[in-house]
Amino acid sequence: MISKSKIKSITSLKQKKYREKHGLFVGEGPKVISELKQEGLEIHSFFSVNEEEFINENHFHVTQAELQKISFLKTANTSVAVFKMPEVKPVNNKGLTIVLDAVRDPGNLGTIIRLCDWFGVKQLICSTDTTDCYNPKVVQATMGSLARVAIHYVDIENYLKASSLPIYGAFMDGENVYRQKLQQDAIIVMGNEANGVSESIEKLITEKIAIPQFGNQRTESLNVATATAILLSEVRRFTEM
Amino acid sequence: MISKSKIKSITSLKQKKYREKHGLFVGEGPKVISELKQEGLEIHSFFSVNEEEFINENHFHVTQAELQKISFLKTANTSVAVFKMPEVKPVNNKGLTIVLDAVRDPGNLGTIIRLCDWFGVKQLICSTDTTDCYNPKVVQATMGSLARVAIHYVDIENYLKASSLPIYGAFMDGENVYRQKLQQDAIIVMGNEANGVSESIEKLITEKIAIPQFGNQRTESLNVATATAILLSEVRRFTEM
């Protein structure tokens, strides 16, 4: 059995303000939950339709219908876990860092977090108007990567002003990325889906780079997640030559 | 006014079998519709809330409530167009071709079509169990790219058997892609989201390549669309050096 007040408090976590207020977020299904646990994230409460998973006072055995009431998925999986948000580590000024300037789409953010994890980028710095990484869609898409990449929400203008690393940004009129030797200790700034990098941030870019277009001139610009994939690959390829 | 039977026949186009039966598909909103028209696609019928767009017998002025009835979007835009599917051009055996082996997610297919357009890949060959490119989600995501890339649904095993081009495929145990010089006249095979390239197709790959992983070993593999982005960039970068 699951009380109405518990249902209400869990479903409230769909909203960022309640996630922040309580320092909690939701992960669903055995794969996502076990990956986040494996990365050391602490479980606040756990709900499963499988009785064998009922192992302590914060674990609740529920029916599929009850699970559906607390699930954010159209069709609930077999379990839902409420996790405590991990403590945010201090910002690191070494290595490769991705900075997101107002990326809004949870699918794009999720893809970029997984790309950071793949390419060994340990730190992702997001403007405060970038979509929240504990948004349920992002959690389900990123799985363990969410816990392996340190994600910070900060005033990116101040962050960039204080940095002495090369700051790369993708711009149509930038230098051809294939003719550059990109640095491993650097910052790459990626902009908003519709408007790109904002003006105040553009001024702080030290090296504008471009991914050349090979097709029709009428083509839409590359999606922010695929552009991030290509730029990360371009940085890392130099370590493999 | 829009009749019930018209509403029914348009909404039936959400399903692939009716799209194929009638050779029609739906695009929504001024941007998508004008891009597809600009690429030469023929409009079968057009529905708009703006009276000024009412210009011939196949153009209908409708209310926002009527438009919502025929729209596949949660919130209808200002117009819906039913397009005739373009004639499929003959398969070309030159240049760079992407082959998809059972890619199921419309978002991934949409991203790959836009990537083909960006990187000047004129031909995309899909296995018959790859998601349909006239799926409404794909149409809205790809816009004009859908009409600029020739998309074929064929028996890819036969297609690959008949080809004499190098056939690249991404595999965990492949050769490091950064140490290869990839050919411009070639085929790149990308596999299903969960299972990768199927066994019968794997046998036909002439060069297995891998995108190295730089992060934690527990990381999920790259998403098929981001892997496609990186491989296309790797092929094209050689023309720019």
Side-chain angles (χ1 to χ4, degrees):
Chain A
M1 260 296 290
I2 177 167
S3 69
K4 275 197 178 169
S5 73
K6 200 168 233 85
I7 293 174
K8 205 176 154 190
S9 72
I10 296 168
T11 54
S12 79
L13 300 175
K14 199 166 184 175
Q15 289 177 63
K16 185 181 169 188
K17 66 174 176 181
Y18 292 109
R19 289 196 296 271
E20 290 192 338
K21 186 175 166 191
H22 301 295
L24 299 172
F25 71 96
V26 169
E28 304 197 40
K31 191 165 162 60
V32 170
I33 294 171
S34 82
E35 285 213 12
L36 290 173
K37 274 169 71 180
Q38 205 181 346
E39 297 303 328
L41 261 62
E42 210 180 322
I43 288 192
H44 169 275
S45 48
F46 178 77
F47 305 85
S48 169
V49 298
N50 300 318
E51 264 182 278
E52 63 271 30
E53 292 189 89
F54 178 72
I55 51 165
N56 74 28
E57 73 279 11
N58 298 321
H59 289 216
F60 300 90
H61 180 226
V62 293
T63 64
Q64 191 70 41
E66 286 174 320
L67 197 74
Q68 191 62 58
K69 282 186 191 160
I70 56 169
S71 172
F72 300 148
L73 305 175
K74 255 191 201 163
T75 309
N77 203 305
T78 57
S79 51
V80 166
V82 178
F83 284 95
K84 298 183 185 172
M85 287 182 186
E87 263 182 71
V88 181
K89 295 169 203 155
V91 172
N92 191 332
N93 294 312
K94 267 180 143 179
L96 186 61
T97 295
I98 298 282
V99 169
L100 301 183
D101 181 9
V103 167
R104 305 285 190 167
D105 180 70
N108 286 336
L109 178 60
T111 304
I112 291 170
I113 294 170
R114 281 180 59 178
L115 283 165
C116 285
D117 194 22
W118 181 271
F119 283 108
V121 173
K122 298 200 168 47
Q123 178 169 273
L124 179 64
I125 308 267
C126 302
S127 64
T128 52
D129 54 354
T130 289
T131 198
D132 182 34
C133 65
Y134 295 111
N135 175 309
K137 280 186 197 165
V138 179
V139 176
Q140 293 308 113
T142 52
M143 299 193 272
S145 298
L146 182 62
R148 284 189 293 268
V149 178
I151 306 172
H152 303 267
Y153 287 80
V154 305
D155 179 327
I156 60 169
E157 190 171 344
N158 286 339
Y159 169 77
L160 293 173
K161 276 182 182 163
S163 174
S164 56
L165 295 175
I167 302 173
Y168 299 118
F171 290 85
M172 293 299 212
D173 62 345
E175 295 289 321
N176 185 332
V177 66
Y178 302 132
R179 294 187 192 139
Q180 313 268 316
K181 187 165 188 316
L182 303 174
Q183 302 301 310
Q184 302 298 316
D185 281 318
I187 293 167
I188 302 176
V189 179
M190 303 302 297
N192 172 266
E193 286 87 350
N195 308 315
V197 172
S198 53
E199 264 181 57
S200 60
I201 300 302
E202 183 174 345
K203 287 180 195 143
L204 302 169
I205 302 291
T206 58
E207 297 178 54
K208 290 191 182 182
I209 51 180
I211 301 168
Q213 182 185 28
F214 297 85
N216 190 297
Q217 291 305 311
R218 286 203 295 269
T219 305
E220 284 283 301
S221 65
L222 285 173
N223 162 292
V224 62
T226 51
T228 304
I230 292 165
L231 295 181
L232 284 175
S233 176
E234 280 298 314
V235 173
R236 292 306 195 211
R237 81 189 309 283
F238 291 110
T239 67
E240 294 282 308
M241 299 294 284
Chain B
M1 261 296 290
I2 176 166
S3 69
K4 274 196 180 171
S5 73
K6 199 168 233 89
I7 293 174
K8 205 176 154 188
S9 73
I10 296 168
T11 53
S12 79
L13 299 175
K14 199 166 184 175
Q15 289 176 63
K16 184 179 170 189
K17 67 174 176 182
Y18 292 108
R19 289 196 295 270
E20 290 192 338
K21 187 176 166 191
H22 301 294
L24 299 172
F25 72 97
V26 169
E28 304 196 40
K31 189 164 163 58
V32 170
I33 294 171
S34 83
E35 285 213 12
L36 290 173
K37 274 169 71 180
Q38 204 180 348
E39 297 303 327
L41 261 61
E42 210 180 321
I43 287 192
H44 169 274
S45 47
F46 177 77
F47 306 85
S48 170
V49 298
N50 300 319
E51 264 183 278
E52 64 272 29
E53 292 189 89
F54 178 73
I55 52 167
N56 75 28
E57 72 281 11
N58 298 321
H59 288 217
F60 301 90
H61 180 226
V62 293
T63 65
Q64 192 70 39
E66 287 175 319
L67 197 74
Q68 191 62 57
K69 284 187 190 160
I70 56 170
S71 172
F72 299 149
L73 306 175
K74 254 192 199 161
T75 309
N77 202 305
T78 57
S79 51
V80 165
V82 177
F83 284 94
K84 298 184 184 172
M85 287 182 187
E87 261 183 72
V88 181
K89 295 169 202 155
V91 173
N92 192 331
N93 295 311
K94 267 181 148 180
L96 187 60
T97 294
I98 298 282
V99 169
L100 301 183
D101 181 7
V103 168
R104 305 285 190 168
D105 179 71
N108 286 336
L109 178 61
T111 304
I112 291 169
I113 293 169
R114 281 180 57 178
L115 282 165
C116 285
D117 194 21
W118 182 271
F119 284 108
V121 173
K122 298 201 167 45
Q123 177 169 272
L124 178 64
I125 309 267
C126 303
S127 64
T128 51
D129 54 354
T130 289
T131 198
D132 183 34
C133 66
Y134 295 112
N135 174 309
K137 281 185 198 166
V138 179
V139 176
Q140 293 308 114
T142 52
M143 299 191 274
S145 297
L146 182 63
R148 284 189 292 269
V149 178
I151 306 172
H152 304 267
Y153 286 81
V154 305
D155 179 328
I156 60 168
E157 190 172 344
N158 286 340
Y159 168 76
L160 293 173
K161 276 182 183 163
S163 174
S164 55
L165 295 176
I167 303 173
Y168 301 117
F171 290 85
M172 291 299 212
D173 62 345
E175 296 287 322
N176 185 329
V177 67
Y178 302 131
R179 295 188 192 138
Q180 313 267 317
K181 187 166 187 318
L182 302 173
Q183 302 300 310
Q184 302 297 316
D185 280 319
I187 294 167
I188 302 177
V189 180
M190 303 303 297
N192 171 266
E193 287 87 350
N195 308 314
V197 172
S198 53
E199 264 181 57
S200 59
I201 300 303
E202 184 175 345
K203 288 179 195 144
L204 303 169
I205 303 292
T206 59
E207 297 179 54
K208 289 190 183 183
I209 50 180
I211 301 168
Q213 182 185 26
F214 296 84
N216 190 295
Q217 290 307 311
R218 287 204 294 272
T219 305
E220 285 283 301
S221 65
L222 286 172
N223 161 291
V224 62
T226 52
T228 304
I230 293 166
L231 295 181
L232 284 175
S233 175
E234 280 297 313
V235 173
R236 292 306 194 211
R237 81 189 309 284
F238 292 111
T239 66
E240 293 283 308
M241 300 294 284

